[in-house]
Amino acid sequence: MSSPRFGLGPVFAYEWLRISRRWQLYAVRSFFVGLLLLGLMFTWGTWGDRPDGMQTEELARLGQTIYSTIVTIELTLILLAAPAATAGAVCVDKARGSLLQVMATDLSDSELVLGKLAAALTPVIGLVCCTLPVLMLSSLLGGIDPMLLLGSFLTTLTTAVLVCTLAFTLSVWGKKAHEVLGATYMIVLAWLALIPFTVNMLMVMAGLGAVGFSRFGRLIQATNPYALLYPSFNGSMVDHLHRVLIYCGGGLGLSAAMIGLCIATIRRVTVRQRSEGGGGRTSRRTWRLPSILPTLSLDANPVLWREWTRNRPSRWGRFVSACYLGFALFLTGTTVIEILGNGGPAESGIMASVYTVGVGLLLMSVRSSTSLSEERIRGSLDLLTSTPLTTTEILAGKWWGTFRMVAPMALLTGLLAALACGPSGWWTGLLLYLGLILAYAGVTTSLGLAIAVWVPQQGRAVGLCVGLYVAACVGWPLLSLMMALSGGPGPNPAVFFLFGSPIGGTVMGLVSLAEHRPSLDLERLVLPTSMVIWTCILGAATLGLFRLACESFEGQLGRRAGWNEESGPWREFKALIPRFGRRPLEKPKPATAEME
């Protein structure tokens, strides 16, 4: 038996050589830096269009605005998109069976874990480093301390290492990439939002004074990366840098502990899951609640029937769903009690709606982008393409398998919207608002499915889909805000464009329901008209992306195009309409009858 070796080893050399030859790596870096420079240009256009120039204090405020915008977008992108780089690093190889073959060599567990993790972390670290030169250029305007830049860089870098290591650790124990990524998001959400919110509510209920709140604030500042990005500019930067170093030490230490846990358990977990056959433990009886949904027809679309009936979530999937629904029900219940019991404003449900829609669509984007890659890994996609099933039937089944996740999101958001409609009595707007939410879910599902068809690699597909979703949720509202700041007199189109973002549309739609007044004033008709127009635009985008996915499916899978497709311009639309009610299957005729 060879002595244990430590280091990155040949796994890192192979993985990094393979990654460095991809043009997408350099395209993403260039695109990210280009977006930052474009944001700087728009920000300067809203501030610098003055004939008399700008004062030194105004330049300093402009520098602080640019700093806040860049570091907020960067950290949000790191928290949401970076775990996709490592979520499938181990579980995909386990599903293919290649990880067990690698373990049969003389490679040590440390070389395997460190090599794979370092190869996946290197592009993420390079993306973080690309932001530093842009911030250094912004510091020439003033208002940005060099110590603040150093602290934000170290905070973002540590956060990237921490969330990527967390996703890698869960990938060692998990079996599906979308479940691992969903569990990572739930843990990050609990770290940044759920725990501080719950502790804050308990402190308010306990009646603690200002001293308790100040201690709680210092604790949040020490563990929350967003709080470390915005210190008090009147305080000492040296003390702030000390807090950043403590956060970096704690984050890197926790990452090292998770790496050690991966090294100690990866071989045992892989062998055990392989011996189970990939299906998990079946000896325990699974109790299922009776379904209240109508039964789908097996004859109409077997793929849809399988996704709807037989494709049950695993323990990881149930954990992610329980965490999401638990926090959504908690926020919704708190809002309902505040509105009905204490007479709070209807707009108080904005936080609950943003969480329910934002996180729900994020999980849907992850699920839809991995719907075909998992079939590719298992080899069942080739089996589907060899059947008489049409392409639209196959993709429609996958589409509905993801879109059905919209049910709890629509119910909870509809309840909050109904409470907002109470004072105004505009119940027609409730239907428009629910249609807009369903349109967001539809275009998210179609986009993820199209990316899953176009991008065979699971990690790239998930990263691209999540990156586009983050751009729609964060970048699009910022662009609308810049349009609002640069707009002149008259109706501002920024309000209309804000509905193009799921977060912006959720907030503005809820506000329009609460503040609607029957009037022919153009300013009051902007919000309802925007909801109707964007619902139509997103609905058309949903069908368009689904049709593009169907047309490119044959070319990606090597299937003869349209050999059994139904003719007509609306075949994709008809394929997305589920058929309920199970029809009895035809019984096979006896052999004697066939001979006669």
Side-chain angles (χ1 to χ4, degrees), residues 464-478:
L464 181 59
C465 191
V466 173
L468 292 176
Y469 177 75
V470 173
C473 291
V474 180
W476 192 267
L478 289 177

Side-chain angles (χ1 to χ4, degrees), residues 309-387:
T309 307
R310 303 300 302 171
N311 194 9
R312 299 290 182 176
S314 62
R315 286 177 293 181
W316 285 76
R318 290 193 293 268
F319 167 76
V320 174
S321 301
C323 292
Y324 167 69
L325 290 177
F327 196 27
L329 290 173
F330 174 73
L331 290 177
T332 304
T334 305
T335 304
V336 171
I337 293 174
E338 182 181 357
I339 295 176
L340 298 180
N342 303 330
E347 295 86 348
S348 59
I350 289 179
M351 178 181 176
S353 299
V354 167
Y355 166 79
T356 305
V357 175
V359 179
L361 292 180
L362 177 63
L363 297 178
M364 289 182 65
S365 65
V366 173
R367 181 67 183 91
S368 60
S369 61
T370 58
S371 56
L372 291 179
S373 58
E374 293 176 355
E375 299 286 351
R376 283 191 178 100
I377 294 173
R378 291 196 297 262
S380 56
L381 189 59
D382 295 334
L383 180 63
L384 283 177
T385 56
S386 63
T387 61

Side-chain angles (χ1 to χ4, degrees), residues 543-573:
L543 293 178
L545 289 171
F546 182 77
R547 182 161 189 171
L548 287 177
C550 292
E551 291 178 351
S552 57
F553 183 80
E554 286 86 358
Q556 294 290 334
L557 273 297
R559 200 184 198 196
R560 187 158 58 92
W563 68 276
N564 60 347
E565 289 288 345
E566 180 184 354
S567 61
W570 298 99
R571 66 172 186 262
E572 287 82 9
F573 178 74

